[in-house]
Amino acid sequence: MADGIISTGMDETASREIAPAPKLPTPTGSPPAWSELADQAGDLNNRAQILHSDTDDLHIDVVMREWQSRSTDFVRQDMPTLLRSLADLGFSWRHIARLVGVSVPAVQKWRRGQPATGQSRFNAAAILAASALIEEHYLVRDVASWFEAPIVLGYPITAIDLYASKKPQLVFRLATGKSDPEQVLSAFDPDWREKYRSDFEVFESEDGGLAIRAKDW
Amino acid sequence: MPRNLEPPNGDSNDWDVLYLARGDEEVVVHRPFLTGDIFAGVTVQAPRSSPKTKDVMIIQHPCAMRPNGVDLASSILVAEVHRFPVLTADKWSGSGKLMPLPGLLAGVTSNRKNQAAFFDDTYHVHPLDLTRRIACLSLRGVNLLLQRWVYHSSRVIVPSFDFDSAVTPVYEQADIIEEWCEIAMDAGRTLEEANNDAHAWLREVDQGRTREKALEEPQFRPLIRRGARMAASKWRAPSPPSD
C-alpha cells in the first residue's frame, strides 16, 4: 500500500513481560536504609513509567488495527456515498481532498460519478473510519470541528495537518485526551514553536473584517 | 527565526498545491471572483498607451474587491501574467516582483505552461471585462500571493500562516457560495438568484452573530457548511411519491 497511511505492524509491546515489582522491606528488625528505599522506589517509578508508555503504545497499536478493520468495512460503499458522508460531517471539499491526498477537482469529478482508484476510495473510507472511531471511543462531538481546530491555541497546526502528513497515530494519540498536545506537536515537528512564532497578529479591524498588525513589543 | 518569502510546499517542487482549479474542465463558472483568479484575453490600458489584450491575475485583497461585502468594486486591480521559467523551491525567497505560476496552463506541454504574475505591470479593469477565468488559486496559493504582493508593495515579509488566519474565512465563504450555487442552480434557480440567496443566508444572524462572522472561528465552519448545504437544498423539488 504505497500511498496508504494505515500501518498494520504491531510492535512487540503486546508480548513483552513485565517483571514483578520489588517488594519494599518490612518494618521489622533494623530500620530501613533510606538510600536503599529511595533506589527501590525510584526503580518502581521507572517501571511504572515504562509500563505506562508500553500500554500507551499498545493502545494505539490496537486502535490502528481497529481503524484498518473499519476502513475495510467502509470501503464497501461507493465513492459518492463516502464523500457525501464526509460532507455531512461538515468537512470541506478542500479538506477532504487534502486528507485523501488528491486535488479538489479530483474530488469534484468523483462526486459527479467518475471512477476513483481503489487506493483513493480506501483513503476516503479511512477518513470516515477514523472519524467514527474518534467519535465513539473518545466521545469527540462534531468530529470535523475537532479536526479543524488548532491543537495548541495560537499555533496553526490542526489534526488535519497531522493526518495529511500521514501521521494518523498522532491524531489518535491526540484524540485520547491523555497525551499532552504540545508533546504531540513536538512529535509532529520538533521546531513547531519557532517555525510558527510570529511578530504579527490577526485582529478585527474597525470595519469588522480581519486584518494583520505587528504585535506589541 | 528569520523569515523569507516562502516556497509553496517546503523543499518539494510539486506546484499543484498552488491551484484550486486550472483550465475549462476544472474552473467552476459560478465560483465568486477572488484574489488570485487568473483570466485570459482581458483588455487593459496602461497610462499613455493604447488598449492591449493580456492575461491577468486579480491581486486585490478579497475585502477590497467587495467594498460592501457582496458586490464587486467597479475597478479591480490586476497584474499581467505571462511566460516565466520555473523557480525551484529554493529560489522562491527571491524574485519579489512577481508571483511564480509554474504549470499554470492546463493541457500545455511546452515550457509555455509556466507563467508568472508581474507586480510592476498592473492595471485596473471593470469586473465585467473579466469574462474568461482560466485558473483559481488554492488557499495556499492566495496566501503566498498576498505575502509576495505585500512584500513588493511595502518591503515587509508577513508569515503566510498569518495571511491564512485572515484569509481563510473569506475563502470559506467562496467555497460555500460555489457549492450553494451548484445545488440551487441544479434545482432551477438562476445564478443571480442563487448568489443572492447564499449571501443573504450568510448574513443572517444565528446565535448572536452573522454566519459570515462565525466563519472566522474554525470550530464553527463545519456547522455552517452543513447548514448551507441544507438551506440550499430547499430549492430542490420534492421526490415524486413512489407507487
Side-chain angles (χ1 to χ4, degrees):
Chain A
M1 200 189 319
D3 296 319
I5 52 176
I6 291 183
S7 158
T8 57
M10 183 183 276
D11 67 19
E12 70 278 12
T13 309
S15 58
R16 192 181 302 166
E17 289 188 5
I18 306 296
K23 286 185 178 167
L24 293 176
T26 52
T28 57
S30 55
W34 291 112
S35 66
E36 186 186 338
L37 277 180
D39 283 348
Q40 289 183 357
D43 183 48
L44 192 58
N45 184 251
N46 287 341
R47 285 165 186 263
Q49 283 182 14
I50 291 168
L51 184 62
H52 181 255
S53 165
D54 283 354
T55 53
D56 262 0
D57 289 345
L58 176 63
H59 177 209
I60 295 301
D61 281 339
V62 173
V63 168
M64 293 291 284
R65 284 183 172 247
E66 184 189 356
W67 178 40
Q68 184 183 37
S69 164
R70 295 182 78 153
S71 301
T72 308
D73 288 342
F74 276 116
V75 85
R76 292 183 187 139
Q77 300 175 14
D78 64 17
M79 196 57 154
T81 306
L82 289 169
L83 294 175
R84 203 161 41 246
S85 299
L86 288 168
D88 287 345
L89 287 174
F91 285 106
S92 69
W93 298 119
R94 66 191 156 79
H95 286 150
I96 292 170
R98 188 155 173 241
L99 293 167
V100 174
V102 297
S103 66
V104 173
V107 171
Q108 304 295 22
K109 284 173 192 165
W110 299 336
R111 284 177 63 209
R112 291 192 289 268
Q114 291 190 27
T117 64
Q119 184 64 59
S120 296
R121 183 165 154 178
F122 189 86
N123 288 350
I127 308 167
L128 211 48
S131 301
L133 198 153
I134 289 168
E135 268 186 339
E136 289 167 24
H137 282 319
Y138 309 120
L139 307 179
V140 172
R141 298 184 64 177
D142 200 350
V143 70
S145 288
W146 179 84
F147 262 98
E148 283 187 48
I151 293 169
V152 173
L153 205 62
Y155 293 86
I157 308 166
T158 65
I160 287 177
D161 296 313
L162 307 185
Y163 190 101
S165 304
K166 303 194 189 305
K167 294 182 176 169
Q169 300 93 330
L170 295 181
V171 175
F172 294 127
R173 276 192 193 286
L174 192 67
T176 62
K178 293 177 191 162
S179 296
D180 176 2
E182 296 196 358
Q183 283 181 359
V184 171
L185 284 192
S186 295
F188 173 66
D189 180 354
D191 300 326
W192 63 276
R193 283 178 196 282
E194 189 57 22
K195 199 180 279 183
Y196 296 104
R197 191 189 59 76
S198 175
D199 296 328
F200 298 90
E201 65 183 1
V202 175
F203 72 106
E204 186 177 321
S205 68
E206 204 179 352
D207 65 4
L210 295 181
I212 300 171
R213 66 184 172 196
K215 282 180 181 165
D216 278 344
W217 294 50
Chain B
M1 181 181 280
R3 301 275 174 196
N4 284 321
L5 296 172
E6 299 167 29
N9 191 17
D11 296 334
S12 166
N13 289 329
D14 168 19
W15 314 121
D16 289 349
V17 295
L18 288 170
Y19 304 102
L20 173 70
R22 282 170 287 181
D24 293 341
E25 262 192 30
E26 293 184 357
V27 172
V28 177
V29 176
H30 48 262
R31 183 175 178 81
F33 285 2
L34 202 63
T35 313
D37 285 358
I38 298 155
F39 297 82
V42 179
T43 304
V44 295
Q45 188 164 11
R48 299 189 182 190
S49 22
S50 51
K52 288 179 183 160
T53 301
K54 308 266 190 191
D55 294 347
V56 298
M57 177 163 79
I58 296 177
I59 57 173
Q60 202 158 332
H61 189 275
C63 300
M65 283 171 63
R66 290 184 168 79
N68 66 1
V70 179
D71 302 310
L72 285 165
S74 57
S75 176
I76 302 284
L77 181 63
V78 297
E80 183 176 343
V81 171
H82 60 73
R83 190 171 167 170
F84 188 73
V86 172
L87 290 182
T88 51
D90 58 315
K91 298 282 193 298
W92 277 60
S93 56
S95 300
K97 287 174 177 291
L98 56 89
M99 170 68 186
L101 298 167
L104 168 68
L105 299 182
V108 174
T109 51
S110 69
N111 283 336
R112 195 172 63 83
K113 69 183 174 190
N114 304 312
Q115 307 257 321
F118 293 82
F119 301 142
D120 280 337
D121 300 314
T122 57
Y123 308 92
H124 280 90
V125 297
H126 192 280
L128 290 177
D129 294 329
L130 300 172
T131 53
R132 195 180 153 226
R133 183 161 42 172
I134 58 169
C136 302
L137 294 189
S138 65
L139 179 57
R140 176 73 181 149
V142 173
N143 293 335
L144 292 181
L145 164 63
L146 289 172
Q147 183 185 57
R148 301 181 83 85
W149 173 231
V150 166
Y151 173 70
H152 175 76
S153 308
S154 60
R155 316 299 287 177
V156 173
I157 295 180
V158 178
S160 66
F161 55 80
D162 284 321
F163 283 113
D164 190 82
S165 302
V167 171
T168 298
V170 185
Y171 203 89
E172 282 286 346
Q173 234 184 92
D175 283 350
I176 287 171
I177 293 169
E178 176 186 330
E179 191 173 0
W180 181 297
C181 290
E182 178 190 319
I183 295 169
M185 288 165 71
D186 261 359
R189 300 289 281 173
T190 66
L191 174 57
E192 191 182 356
E193 287 169 340
N195 202 34
N196 290 341
D197 294 340
H199 277 290
W201 185 85
L202 282 165
R203 294 193 149 200
E204 275 174 18
V205 174
D206 186 14
Q207 297 182 29
R209 56 179 163 183
T210 65
R211 298 184 179 104
E212 188 178 57
K213 192 71 187 162
L215 283 173
E216 291 175 6
E217 300 288 339
Q219 67 269 27
F220 292 135
R221 290 172 194 153
L223 189 70
I224 294 170
R225 282 182 211 123
R226 286 196 299 263
R229 284 169 187 143
M230 281 181 62
S233 299
K234 78 175 182 185
W235 300 106
R236 282 190 181 134
S239 307
S242 53
D243 296 331

